[in-house]
Amino acid sequence: MPQLPAHRIFPTPDAASEALAAEIGDLVSTRASEGRTVVLGLATGSTPIRLYAELARLHREGLSFANVITFNLDEYLGLERDHPESYWQFMHLRLFDHIDIPPGNIHIPDGGIPDEELEGYCAGYEKAISEAGGIDLQVLGIGRNGHIGFNEPGAAPDLPTHVTELNEVTIGDAAEAFGGGANVPRRAITMGVKTILEARRVALLAFGESKAEIVRRALTPGITPQVPATYLQLHPDSTCFLDQDAATQLG
Ligand code: F6R
């Protein structure tokens, strides 16, 4: 039975990020006290930057990430790790360099994989998620076109990790960071909607007025491939953490 994601509205992006960081921190420490690992699915982009800063702060206050295993959602295809816009760089700069996660527990799709190896690589990424026990909590942002990960408008609900073409809106939004649209990679590796829906819990962050319209659509009953975030209506435990600006169009 489809159900709308829950949503929580906070006065500021910082407050929303702190709330999600607190939830993640509790999960990590509870699991540690049980001698268990926790598997987090992570996103990049401007939205989760404050979340990662807050997780780094929690680490400075004593929270260990030694029992944490992470899988990132996506990576541009054709970018090596050391490219300044690679998600590998982003994740290390924003989070991994500031916490005590064992480097071997970090998984980020490799944008340098040659075409002929991609199918096997994507299957291996899925297998690694399963072998880690599945994703306990998946962090998502949302594109202005409704994408989650790089599952662009038109995405099928039943795909695992795969190679995808970026949508024009996504390329436009990335153009500035790459010094022009022509430099933005056209393809990416992304977890599929199936991978995302298999996570035990999903937390979507959305901030700012530019996300208000798509947040309204994602939180309106009705699932359509044209707005991949509406697939979250198929998930039994998803919550949108919004700031006031992103919530302005909610009834
Ligand atoms: C990032 C990702 C994307 C972003 C989305 C929002 O790993 O998968 O779906 O979450 O494009 O990006 P920002 O946060 O920059 O608005």
Side-chain angles (χ1 to χ4, degrees), residues 43-48 73-74 87 141-143 147-150 211:
T44 58
S46 56
T47 310
L73 276 167
D74 43 19
Y87 288 166
I142 182 170
H147 74 201
I148 47 176
F150 278 136
K211 299 289 173 72

Side-chain angles (χ1 to χ4, degrees), residues 21-104:
E23 177 178 333
I24 292 172
D26 285 348
L27 178 62
V28 170
S29 54
T30 303
R31 287 289 177 85
S33 69
E34 298 165 351
R36 296 167 66 198
T37 55
V38 55
V39 182
L40 301 178
L42 298 178
T44 58
S46 56
T47 310
I49 289 176
R50 295 174 187 84
L51 168 68
Y52 298 149
E54 179 62 12
L55 289 175
R57 193 189 66 76
L58 292 178
H59 174 63
R60 289 195 298 277
E61 289 201 340
L63 178 68
S64 173
F65 289 78
N67 64 326
V68 174
I69 301 171
T70 63
F71 288 89
N72 264 79
L73 276 167
D74 43 19
E75 177 62 284
Y76 294 110
L77 207 48
L79 291 197
E80 300 287 343
R81 280 180 173 191
D82 55 6
H83 189 287
E85 289 304 322
S86 79
Y87 288 166
W88 196 95
Q89 289 290 331
F90 175 97
M91 287 308 303
H92 284 77
L93 185 71
R94 296 294 178 178
L95 182 63
F96 297 141
D97 288 349
H98 309 287
I99 60 176
D100 63 341
I101 184 170

Side-chain angles (χ1 to χ4, degrees), residues 8-20 45-52 139-142 144 204-215 240-248:
R8 297 174 63 186
I9 303 171
F10 296 86
T12 61
D14 279 346
S17 305
E18 283 164 24
L20 180 53
S46 56
T47 310
I49 289 176
R50 295 174 187 84
L51 168 68
Y52 298 149
V139 176
L140 295 178
I142 182 170
R144 288 186 306 119
L204 183 147
L205 291 167
F207 305 142
E209 205 148 352
S210 66
K211 299 289 173 72
E213 169 57 25
I214 200 67
V215 164
C240 298
F241 290 70
L242 310 173
D243 72 345
Q244 271 172 356
D245 291 343
T248 47

Side-chain angles (χ1 to χ4, degrees), residues 102-122:
N105 287 6
I106 296 169
H107 305 82
I108 304 172
D110 183 348
I113 298 291
D115 274 14
E116 61 276 18
E117 291 171 25
L118 279 169
E119 206 179 311
Y121 180 81
C122 290

